[in-house]
Each structure stands twice: as C-alpha cells, then as structure tokens.
C-alpha cells in the first residue's frame, strides 16, 4: 500500500465513453459553448463596471454571479476539452485536488448568491421605500462575503478529509473532471465519513437555500398581488423573472443529480447532468439576464452606439 500511495502522482479522467469521431464532434460542440460562456459573463461584468446606472445592489450581486459562472466553467471545461483531443492525457494529483476544491467552492457560493439575490428582490418589492436604507453598500458587501466564505470553508473540510486517504486502485476516474464522489471510489480506505460529509453538504446546500428562496418569493407574490395596476404587477414580476429562471436551472439540475435518475445507467446520466450544470448553466445565465433585462440591453445599445461613433470618427479622420 505504501508503494502504491507514494507512486500516485496523477489521475486519468475517462470522460465520455464514445468513439474518436464522437469525441471530435463533442469538442467542436463544447468549444464554442465555452467561449460563449466567457464572452457572455465577461460582457455582463463589463457593462456593470462601465455604466454607473448599473451600480446598484442587484447588479452588484449579478456581477458576483458572473464571476462564479466564469470560474465554474474555467475549472472543469478546459480539462474536459483537452481530454476529448487527447484521451490518455492525465491530470496531476495536485491539479485534481484543486479542481475538486474549486468546484465545491463555486457550487456552494452560487447556491448562497441566489439566496442573497432573492432577498434583494424581496426588499425591493416588499419594502420599496426602505430599499436604499436596508440594502446599503456595507450590507451588500457583507452578504457577498457571506456567500463566498461558507463555500471555501466547506470545501476545505472536504479537502482535509480527502488528502490523507490512500489511493491504491487504478487511477482512472469515471468522470470528465475530478468530482469528489468519483475520486472517493478510488480510495482503498473507509470513505464513509467523506461520503456523509458530501451528502450533508449537498442537503444543506440545496434544501436550506432553496427553502429560503421559496419563502422569499411567497412574500414577493403576496406583495405583487396587492399592487392595484396590471402594469405595476407586470413590472414587479419582470424584475424577478430572470432570477427565477436561473434558480430553476441551477437547483433543477442539482436536485436531479442527487435524487435521481433511477433507471438506465445513473452514473453516466448524472455525468451529463453535471456537464449541463458546469457548462450550459453558466452560458445561459447571462443570456437570461440580458434578454429579460431592459437596463442591461439599453446599456449594451448605448455602448455599441458610442463604439460605432468612435469608429466613424476615426474613419473620417483617415
């Protein structure tokens, strides 16, 4: 066992069990999705930083969500794309542990950020006259820090429990990234504590935050129904619709991963669900917010008009 333990310096990610042609097809399909994820979330960050009209609590939290989405994708997708081109290319032990730590951190952080964003919408709709007094910048920074800190702490706990484990089986991880449960299957020691901690973290990270979001939106719905005008109701609901879509995508895929599926090959199906969770969700989030949010669209139009005017000015100067 000692020999096996000291000789382990890397893991091999098995990825998706498909032929070379399908792997190239997947590479051609996932590469532009990854680029769109970076461009979309990068655009959201750029618009929020450049336009002072978007320097509000709602967009402050949205910028944090965009950072998490970029980090989410950058943590898992590049290695997956490399494995599609070079299936036998391993990942180092340190790289694998880092990937596991970061994925857990970003997952918990996004859970809590969605809760914070629902609270922001609750205050804006249920207490509009006191919104600026409640959602001060000090409160916003505290809420953002509170969203990041538990993810880091919980991931450190997982890492501390994972590092001492001896790995004496073939170092082949049946996944496209170092997902913690897939890594634990390679350990030749009792992993019940690790698995229970993962389960406890998943339950607390899903049930608690989702319950808080549901309660927030029940209060929001009651407040919207008390608005007399249809136009007022429509405007109030439109400010929440984007957030509800993102919550549905994130928690929907997360719950399915931990509750089911029950039939077929659950490991393979959950692998594809995690792919959706780590690639498509971060790509769709900026689209949802930009398409449903008039302020973001107007800011983008203004910046494009300014850029067009600058190009015209440069053209006439030449």
């Amino acid at each position: 066992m000692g020999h096996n333990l000291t000789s382990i310096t890397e893991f091999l990610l098995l990825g998706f069990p498909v032929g070379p042609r399908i792997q190239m097809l997947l590479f051609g399909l996932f590469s532009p999705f990854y680029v769109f994820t970076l461009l979309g979330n990068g655009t959201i960050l750029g618009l929020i930083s450049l336009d002072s009209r978007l320097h509000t609590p709602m967009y402050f939290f949205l910028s944090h969500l965009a950072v998490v989405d970029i980090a989410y994708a950058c943590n898992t997708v590049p290695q997956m794309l490399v494995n599609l081109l070079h299936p036998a290319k391993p990942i180092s032990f340190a790289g694998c542990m880092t990937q596991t730590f970061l994925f857990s951190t970003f997952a918990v952080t996004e859970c809590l950020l969605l809760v914070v964003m629902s609270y922001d919408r609750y205050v804006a709709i249920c207490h509009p006259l006191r919104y600026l007094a409640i959602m001060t910048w000090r409160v916003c920074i505290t809420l953002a820090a509170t969203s990041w800190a538990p993810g880091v702490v919980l991931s450190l706990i997982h890492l501390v429990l994972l590092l001492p484990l001896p790995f004496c089986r073939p170092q082949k991880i049946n996944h496209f990234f170092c997902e913690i449960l897939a890594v634990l299957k390679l350990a030749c020691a009792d992993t019940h504590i690790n698995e229970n901690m993962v389960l406890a973290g998943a339950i607390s990270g899903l049930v608690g935050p989702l319950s808080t979001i549901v309660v927030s939106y029940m209060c929001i719905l009651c407040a919207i129904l008390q608005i007399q005008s249809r136009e007022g109701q429509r405007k109030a609901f439109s400010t929440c619709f984007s957030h509800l879509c993102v919550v549905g995508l994130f928690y929907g895929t997360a719950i399915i991963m931990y509750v089911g599926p029950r039939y077929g090959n659950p490991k393979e199906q959950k692998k594809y669900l995690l792919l959706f969770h780590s690639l498509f969700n971060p790509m769709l989030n900026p689209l949802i917010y930009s398409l449903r949010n008039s302020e973001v669209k107007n800011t983008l139009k203004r910046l494009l008009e300014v850029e067009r005017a600058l190009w015209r000015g440069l053209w006439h100067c030449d």
Side-chain angles (χ1 to χ4, degrees):
M1 184 180 295
H3 172 72
N4 288 337
L5 181 59
T6 56
S7 64
I8 294 176
T9 58
E10 57 189 27
F11 292 100
L12 185 63
L13 296 168
L14 298 182
F16 305 102
V18 294
R21 289 186 179 181
I22 302 298
Q23 285 183 333
M24 291 303 299
L25 179 63
L26 292 177
F27 179 84
L29 181 66
F30 294 153
S31 296
F33 287 162
Y34 178 57
V35 173
F36 292 152
T37 298
L38 300 183
L39 288 177
N41 286 286
T43 300
I44 292 288
L45 284 173
L47 293 177
I48 292 173
S49 62
L50 291 174
D51 193 339
S52 59
R53 281 166 287 199
L54 299 183
H55 293 175
T56 62
M58 183 177 78
Y59 293 104
F60 173 73
F61 297 130
L62 180 57
S63 67
H64 278 265
L65 183 65
V67 170
V68 171
D69 284 339
I70 290 173
Y72 227 136
C74 290
N75 182 45
T76 58
V77 178
Q79 183 69 43
M80 180 192 68
L81 295 176
V82 169
N83 288 345
L84 288 172
L85 287 179
H86 306 286
K89 189 174 180 62
I91 181 173
S92 67
F93 182 86
C96 188
M97 295 299 106
T98 302
Q99 199 175 62
T100 301
F101 169 79
L102 292 177
F103 183 84
S104 176
T105 299
F106 299 140
V108 175
T109 300
E110 183 152 356
C111 281
L112 297 178
L113 272 175
L114 293 175
V115 174
V116 168
M117 294 172 78
S118 71
Y119 173 72
D120 173 71
R121 291 301 84 206
Y122 161 77
V123 176
I125 294 174
C126 298
H127 305 283
L129 299 179
R130 298 177 56 206
Y131 179 74
L132 293 178
I134 296 174
M135 299 301 292
T136 62
W137 281 114
R138 183 176 181 178
V139 170
C140 292
I141 293 171
T142 302
L143 289 173
T146 305
S147 299
W148 283 91
V152 174
V153 172
L154 184 61
S155 300
L156 279 174
I157 294 173
H158 289 319
L159 191 63
V160 169
L161 292 173
L162 181 61
L163 286 175
L165 292 177
F167 294 94
C168 53
R169 298 177 185 176
Q171 290 78 55
K172 295 180 179 180
I173 299 176
N174 185 21
H175 221 295
F176 65 90
F177 78 104
C178 290
E179 195 264 339
I180 187 166
L181 291 177
V183 175
L184 287 174
K185 293 184 185 301
L186 305 183
C188 54
D190 186 7
T191 60
H192 281 93
I193 295 177
N194 303 74
E195 292 170 3
N196 289 335
M197 277 299 301
V198 172
L199 180 61
I203 293 174
S204 61
L206 291 175
V207 176
L210 185 57
S211 300
T212 305
I213 292 173
V214 170
V215 171
S216 297
Y217 273 101
M218 287 175 63
C219 297
I220 289 171
L221 180 61
C222 292
I224 290 176
L225 292 177
Q226 292 177 2
I227 299 175
Q228 299 297 323
S229 67
R230 292 282 184 180
E231 181 64 19
Q233 289 181 344
R234 187 193 66 79
K235 287 183 178 179
F237 183 75
S238 66
T239 64
C240 303
F241 186 80
S242 298
H243 180 255
L244 279 173
C245 289
V246 173
V247 167
L249 281 172
F250 183 86
Y251 282 96
T253 53
I255 289 172
I256 292 172
M257 279 189 296
Y258 288 101
V259 175
R262 303 290 182 183
Y263 305 102
N265 189 343
K267 291 181 182 178
E268 290 301 318
Q269 293 175 29
K270 289 183 180 181
K271 190 189 297 182
Y272 286 100
L273 281 171
L274 259 178
L275 175 63
F276 185 91
H277 200 64
S278 57
L279 177 59
F280 294 101
N281 273 8
M283 182 185 71
L284 292 174
N285 287 353
L287 289 176
I288 292 171
Y289 273 102
S290 60
L291 292 176
R292 293 288 310 178
N293 194 303
S294 59
E295 291 178 316
V296 173
K297 288 191 289 186
N298 291 336
T299 299
L300 182 58
K301 288 178 181 177
R302 284 193 295 269
L303 290 177
L304 289 175
E305 288 173 359
V306 169
E307 184 179 0
R308 192 180 298 116
L310 288 174
W311 278 106
R312 286 177 179 172
L314 291 173
W315 177 263
H316 287 309
C317 288
D318 291 341

